[in-house]
Amino acid sequence: MKLKNWKELPEGAIIKNTPTSPEFKTGEWKTKEPYYHAEKCTHCLLCWLYCPDSVITVKNKKIDVFLLEYCKGCGICAKICPVNAIEMREVEL
Amino acid sequence: MKLKNLKKLALTGNEAAAYAMKQINPDVVAAYPITPSTEIVQIFSKYVADGEVDTEFVPVESEHSAMSVCIGASAAGARVMTATASQGLALMHEMLYIASSLRLPIVMVVGNRALSAPINIHADHSDAMGSRDSGWMQMFCENPNEVYHTVIMAVKIAEKANLPCMVEMDGFITTHEMEMVETLDDKEVQEFVKKRIPLYSVLNVEEPITIGALDLFDYYFEHKRGQVEAVFKAKKIISEVVKEYNTKFGFNFPDFVEEYETEDAEICVVAMSSAAGTLKEAIDLKRESGIKIGLIRIKTFRPFPYEILRERLRKFKAVGVMDRAETMSTLGGPLSIEIKASLYPLDKKPVIQNFIFGLGGREFSLEDAFHVIEIIENIKKGKKYDDVLYIGIRE
Amino acid sequence: MKKNFISLKELSERNIGLAPGHRACAGCPFPSIVRMVLSASDNPVVVANATGCLEVTSTIFPYSAWPVPWIHSAFENVAATIAGIETAFRVFKKRGIIPENKKINFIAFGGDGATYDIGLQALSGAIERGHNFLYILYDNQAYMNTGIQRSSATPFGANTTTSPAGKVIPGKLQDRKDITEIIAAHGTPYVAQASPSHFYDFISKIRKAFEIKGPKFIAVLSPCVPGWGYRENESIEIAKLAVETCFWPLYEIEHGVYKLTYKPAKKLPVRIWLEKQERFKHLINREELITEIQKKVDEKWERLLNLDGKKIF
Ligand SMILES: Cc1ncc(C[n+]2csc(CCOP(=O)(O)OP(=O)(O)O)c2C)c(N)n1
Ligand code: SF4
Ligand code: SF4
């Protein structure tokens, strides 16, 4: 990304149109990533609640897609899942 | 020329500041008592208690919180004012930089006082000079009348520039000195200051913004550059607002510098705040015995009017600069150093003599002023002195 | 508590939390804490944040993870900052600039350093003045942002970079301050302790707090992967064990009335919690120290059992 020069920045060093962090992909940090067994999932939403990186999305009160480009591979989702619907797998390089 | 008869009130500097604040009726005042500015806080609390203003007054538990509350309220879009001095200004130090970087037009009245140790409650400019590079505008007033009008002008200047502004006066000498103050009507004040139009507001929940994010090496420098530009641009705003005020109400307040008897002067003395009053008196008397001396009083110290000073001071043979603060081991007080730097590009420049005086409220008498003038006159004649001279000290 | 109940399904419909792309460590639990706090609010929120891990990792210019208005000014003044904003909101209503019926919940987030230590004065002042805000202390029990230095929240025995466990000294020698009790002693209308592991309890407390006028304070335990020394996937489990061992009891003090909001079916020995963390590793064979820690946990728990249901102010 091209960095802005000083004249292009908003006054007061504020950040407008937040959130802007999704432009930064933290998914590169991970060595493992969740593999989601949709057929086992009961949609209790615990993984959504506890995923620190807002990777797990919910649509109509059901688990939807995993935004893996942000996943840091912590494994909290797999650990919290009461029915083992999430499994951590090594990331293939 | 006065456009109408203004109501004259006998007020001290503190009362004048509080009275101006009352007429401004800001949204929020958050303040903490400290000598010699305590009265401003007390008087203003009474205005609130009596319903003369409907400002929200926040009686905080420290100056650090005073400035923090001011920052929060100003970031919400409120018109915010406060007052402090000395140790209080020092305790706020961290927050001063944040107020200016976030571009919040807070107006703060400062009763200039020495810094501890030893603890001392009287006038000098150590407190103000400690915050001179914080990005605040700093306007120094000579007397209560100027304090009153400058507080009103400062609100408009600050809000147009989106920068905070200190209105400063000498502790006790001006804060507690009673003088006739020509006052405007409440309505005139309100019409002059108008409503604040903020750059942004943290209360805007529809379009959220982030204020005070972390900058790493890729943005901090750019943000600082932008901030410096804003301070430079404030010069024009200051001139315009002061001009508007003078025209509207028939005054002759200086924007950056006031000149006294400089027209035919050969030598000059530069000073700020109340010392200028004493020097003017001394100049009148010395002129009777043929010494052609003038005075330049710096009203606005930040943004620093170096172009003006370079232009006005170049014609003199010798210039004395009065500093009421120390820099502990450099070539004199902060004012003299900045004036020397301002004149440096000139091929032919006056000799500049620094005088340190009045620390901790040490009286600056008419005799002292004479002494200063005599030294400058001697320099004109070729006599040499130490880089820094201490006036009124027991050697 | 029933009244303040909101199901996870409903919460997921709101889903207001940190956006992805923030730089908190993998497995750090505070993003979940933020999600619970923001999503629990029925009204728009404005957030002030003290300097610390949460602030630093969530707003690296030009990337901000906050979907709500957010301000950071300094480390020790978040309570004063939110007080200023809340004051402006009140005066704008009084002056007709903001409609009288407009509702905003004002929230301050501070770490333990910002709360127990350097910011205690500003917090105490803001509470005494009665500003209407909710203070969320995310308590990771040390200064994590600057590299795991001790704070007055650091428990006895913990190894930090400024209370290192050495050959002679076994980590921090002092007990942690009881911040919840300190804030309660102000006569604060609502004070609670919570844990992200017990999310219904936590969310109910947040929702209850929003309904109460004046200052509110919730201390929520926020385990720290590098600071406490455990595996990235264990944050919630560690928080849970702190509750199950009664090291971190869940309770509230509403208008002076104590209420234990959760009593473990079987109180686990504190050793189980300590053993899970690197910062207590040096204590594992020091039976006398573990016994001392257990004794302190027991005393505090007994005290709370006695206070349960009682009114103290
Ligand atoms: C006045 C001041 N002193 C010190 C610091 C350095 N500092 C920044 S964050 C921090 C520790 C924050 O600790 P805590 O509040 O516990 O939050 P955490 O980082 O653990 O989330 C320190 C010491 C600072 N920013 N300002
Ligand atoms: S591994 Fe961690 S970051 Fe990735 S989806 Fe699971 S909880 Fe989220
Ligand atoms: S250091 Fe600890 S508190 Fe800070 S982001 Fe990492 S896990 Fe969270």
Side-chain angles (χ1 to χ4, degrees):
Chain A
M1 193 191 73
K2 192 177 163 287
L3 297 177
K4 289 189 167 133
N5 73 37
W6 68 268
K7 289 177 195 149
E8 296 165 334
L9 294 171
E11 292 185 292
I14 59 169
I15 304 175
K16 294 182 185 172
N17 304 317
T18 56
T20 48
S21 63
E23 289 165 42
F24 191 88
K25 314 285 184 215
T26 47
E28 286 165 19
W29 298 12
K30 65 178 172 289
T31 55
K32 283 184 180 163
E33 66 185 16
Y35 182 84
Y36 175 56
H37 298 274
E39 73 288 354
K40 288 195 201 166
C41 178
T42 61
H43 301 284
C44 70
L45 306 189
L46 282 178
C47 60
W48 161 77
L49 183 70
Y50 284 117
C51 169
D53 290 284
S54 304
V55 169
I56 305 170
T57 63
V58 179
K59 200 167 153 190
N60 299 327
K61 304 178 185 169
K62 289 196 160 144
I63 296 296
D64 193 33
V65 289
F66 282 52
L67 308 173
L68 289 178
E69 70 263 39
Y70 301 107
C71 170
K72 293 172 187 163
C74 68
I76 285 185
C77 52
K79 188 147 187 124
I80 208 83
C81 177
V83 293
N84 294 323
I86 299 174
E87 172 198 347
M88 295 305 287
R89 293 183 176 175
E90 296 293 326
V91 175
E92 284 163 40
L93 295 172
Chain B
M1 192 197 60
K2 292 274 141 47
L3 299 181
K4 60 168 223 169
N5 274 338
L6 297 166
K7 190 162 108 188
K8 289 201 176 80
L9 300 173
L11 300 173
T12 64
N14 280 341
E15 289 165 354
Y19 190 70
M21 285 166 73
K22 179 184 96 147
Q23 294 185 305
I24 291 160
N25 193 11
D27 295 310
V28 177
V29 168
Y32 193 79
I34 180 166
T35 310
S37 301
T38 306
E39 283 175 346
I40 301 177
V41 188
Q42 290 172 332
I43 299 167
F44 197 81
S45 318
K46 189 73 167 60
Y47 287 144
V48 175
D50 291 339
E52 295 197 44
V53 291
D54 62 352
T55 303
E56 281 296 323
F57 174 63
V58 190
V60 282
E61 83 299 332
S62 72
E63 286 88 354
H64 195 282
S65 285
M67 191 43 65
S68 302
V69 168
C70 288
I71 286 170
S74 189
R79 174 170 287 159
V80 180
M81 301 181 81
T82 184
T84 194
S86 182
Q87 307 305 118
L89 188 60
L91 187 59
M92 279 181 191
H93 192 69
E94 179 191 27
M95 301 319 297
L96 296 179
Y97 285 73
I98 295 171
S100 60
S101 321
L102 299 182
R103 306 288 305 279
L104 302 172
I106 298 159
V107 172
M108 172 157 67
V109 182
V110 182
N112 294 126
R113 162 183 154 182
L115 288 174
S116 301
I119 190 166
N120 171 293
I121 55 170
H122 294 288
D124 79 28
H125 292 174
S126 317
D127 54 0
M129 290 302 148
S131 42
R132 69 181 197 256
D133 298 334
S134 64
W136 281 61
M137 299 185 281
Q138 292 182 301
M139 303 179 91
F140 288 80
C141 302
E142 184 180 332
N143 51 46
N145 187 56
E146 194 181 19
V147 168
Y148 168 81
H149 297 286
T150 305
V151 167
I152 298 167
M153 288 187 266
V155 169
K156 191 155 188 171
I157 291 167
E159 292 178 6
K160 281 195 161 200
N162 287 303
L163 287 172
C165 183
M166 294 183 208
V167 177
E168 324 215 20
M169 63 179 127
D170 286 341
F172 287 102
I173 304 170
T174 312
T175 56
H176 289 64
E177 173 202 40
M178 191 165 288
E179 202 194 61
M180 277 305 170
V181 176
E182 296 183 296
T183 61
L184 307 180
D185 295 343
D186 293 1
K187 202 164 150 254
E188 286 170 323
V189 174
Q190 283 296 319
E191 278 170 7
F192 184 79
V193 296
K194 297 206 174 71
K195 289 262 165 301
R196 176 180 170 204
I197 303 165
L199 263 183
Y200 57 78
S201 168
V202 74
L203 289 178
N204 186 349
V205 290
E206 279 79 34
E207 290 165 51
I209 55 165
T210 285
I211 306 162
L214 168 73
D215 263 1
L216 298 177
F217 20 66
D218 50 359
Y219 277 108
Y220 185 85
F221 205 174
E222 276 68 25
H223 279 134
K224 283 294 144 188
R225 180 65 189 84
Q227 189 187 346
V228 176
E229 193 66 10
V231 187
F232 272 121
K233 281 192 178 150
K235 288 190 173 182
K236 192 158 163 271
I237 296 169
I238 292 170
S239 295
E240 284 168 2
V241 172
V242 175
K243 194 167 165 214
E244 182 195 347
Y245 196 84
N246 285 338
T247 323
K248 222 178 197 142
F249 304 115
F251 289 113
N252 196 16
F253 288 111
D255 47 8
F256 288 94
V257 301
E258 176 199 354
E259 295 198 48
Y260 187 78
E261 298 285 2
T262 50
E263 208 151 301
D264 65 340
E266 293 168 352
I267 57 173
C268 180
V269 59
V270 180
M272 297 201 301
S273 302
S274 67
T278 314
L279 284 161
K280 284 176 188 169
E281 219 180 310
I283 287 170
D284 290 347
L285 294 165
K286 280 286 172 186
R287 277 192 161 257
E288 282 172 16
S289 51
I291 297 183
K292 291 194 166 171
I293 176 147
L295 165 97
I296 287 190
R297 176 171 71 89
I298 299 183
K299 163 76 182 276
T300 303
F301 178 72
R302 284 288 185 274
F304 192 67
Y306 58 86
E307 311 94 325
I308 299 174
L309 290 166
R310 189 180 295 155
E311 235 4 83
R312 310 282 166 89
L313 291 175
R314 65 190 308 162
K315 69 168 184 178
F316 300 111
K317 298 199 175 76
V319 173
V321 182
M322 308 299 299
D323 267 296
R324 209 164 191 149
E326 253 299 347
T327 52
M328 300 290 166
S329 87
T330 70
L331 275 173
L335 194 53
S336 79
I337 293 170
E338 300 207 1
I339 287 179
K340 282 179 187 168
S342 305
L343 301 193
Y344 185 77
L346 299 174
D347 290 333
K348 201 170 146 286
K349 41 194 164 251
V351 179
I352 295 186
Q353 178 62 49
N354 186 213
F355 300 95
I356 304 249
F357 75 105
L359 298 192
R362 173 62 49 85
E363 192 197 357
F364 181 61
S365 64
L366 201 55
E367 299 308 314
D368 293 328
F370 286 150
H371 186 44
V372 163
I373 294 171
E374 279 151 24
I375 292 171
I376 306 172
E377 179 70 4
N378 287 342
I379 292 173
K380 186 191 89 180
K381 292 175 184 156
K383 196 165 171 198
K384 297 239 173 325
Y385 289 89
D386 289 347
D387 287 320
V388 186
L389 296 176
Y390 292 86
I391 297 298
I393 197 161
R394 293 183 299 279
E395 293 287 353
Chain C
M1 279 281 155
K2 273 265 156 51
K3 181 161 137 276
N4 298 305
F5 180 82
I6 180 168
S7 71
L8 277 195
K9 302 243 185 260
E10 274 175 88
L11 212 64
S12 75
E13 304 261 89
R14 299 178 173 192
N15 195 14
I16 312 169
L18 293 185
H22 63 74
R23 301 331 146 82
C25 299
C28 176
F30 64 48
S32 313
I33 291 173
V34 171
R35 188 200 313 282
M36 293 179 204
V37 175
L38 301 189
S39 299
S41 175
D42 292 342
N43 300 312
V45 301
V46 170
V47 172
N49 205 160
T51 312
C53 268
L54 174 58
E55 166 264 329
V56 163
T57 58
S58 64
T59 60
I60 302 181
F61 193 92
Y63 307 110
S64 169
W66 293 84
V68 296
W70 181 96
I71 185 170
H72 156 254
S73 73
F75 184 21
E76 66 278 54
N77 67 347
V78 68
T81 307
I82 202 78
I85 299 170
E86 182 267 345
T87 305
F89 183 65
R90 263 188 293 123
V91 76
F92 285 156
K93 277 190 170 181
K94 185 166 78 180
R95 293 181 166 185
I97 296 159
I98 289 180
E100 191 52 47
N101 60 1
K102 174 112 183 159
K103 284 188 180 151
I104 293 181
N105 286 327
F106 295 96
I107 307 170
F109 282 97
D112 47 285
T115 309
Y116 291 67
D117 290 342
I118 199 164
L120 183 60
Q121 172 187 315
L123 174 58
S124 175
I127 291 173
E128 183 267 339
R129 293 190 304 272
H131 293 280
N132 188 22
F133 69 108
L134 169 60
Y135 194 103
I136 301 282
L137 152 68
Y138 68 97
D139 193 346
N140 55 26
Q141 304 193 324
Y143 304 160
M144 298 312 178
N145 182 44
T146 39
I148 322 170
Q149 292 86 27
R150 77 167 319 261
S151 74
S152 58
T154 306
F156 173 85
N159 177 30
T160 73
T161 56
T162 50
S163 63
K167 294 195 183 97
V168 184
I169 300 174
K172 195 186 173 210
L173 293 178
Q174 303 79 15
D175 283 331
R176 54 177 283 273
K177 276 186 205 166
D178 195 331
I179 193 74
T180 308
E181 298 294 325
I182 292 171
I183 302 302
H186 285 67
T188 313
Y190 187 76
V191 181
Q193 231 168 246
S195 163
S197 53
H198 296 63
F199 63 91
Y200 277 128
D201 177 80
F202 182 31
I203 291 167
S204 305
K205 284 172 176 163
I206 301 161
R207 288 172 62 75
K208 183 182 260 189
F210 283 141
E211 282 177 14
I212 293 171
K213 213 166 172 280
K216 286 83 62 176
F217 177 90
I218 302 179
V220 55
L221 195 66
S222 187
C224 168
V225 179
W228 295 14
Y230 56 81
R231 280 191 300 274
E232 289 168 350
N233 63 355
E234 291 175 329
S235 288
I236 305 304
E237 197 181 324
I238 297 273
K240 189 169 177 207
L241 275 176
V243 176
E244 301 295 336
T245 56
C246 297
F247 172 86
W248 189 262
L250 304 184
Y251 69 107
E252 64 183 9
I253 307 164
E254 186 184 350
H255 296 298
V257 181
Y258 272 78
K259 187 175 169 202
L260 274 168
T261 57
Y262 176 78
K263 286 180 202 159
K266 184 176 175 291
K267 182 169 167 249
L268 299 176
V270 74
R271 172 183 273 281
I272 297 182
W273 183 65
L274 300 174
E275 276 174 348
K276 285 245 167 210
Q277 306 169 54
E278 281 286 314
R279 63 175 174 158
F280 296 117
K281 194 178 67 182
H282 57 286
L283 299 181
I284 297 314
N285 298 321
R286 300 281 300 270
E287 201 50 58
E288 75 289 4
L289 294 179
I290 303 252
T291 310
E292 202 178 321
I293 294 171
Q294 184 66 59
K295 198 167 144 257
K296 282 172 190 157
V297 167
D298 293 346
E299 278 168 13
K300 285 214 159 182
W301 180 244
E302 281 302 317
R303 180 179 166 272
L304 280 177
L305 286 173
N306 280 328
L307 282 168
D308 194 17
K310 295 210 174 80
K311 189 166 166 63
I312 55 148
F313 62 82

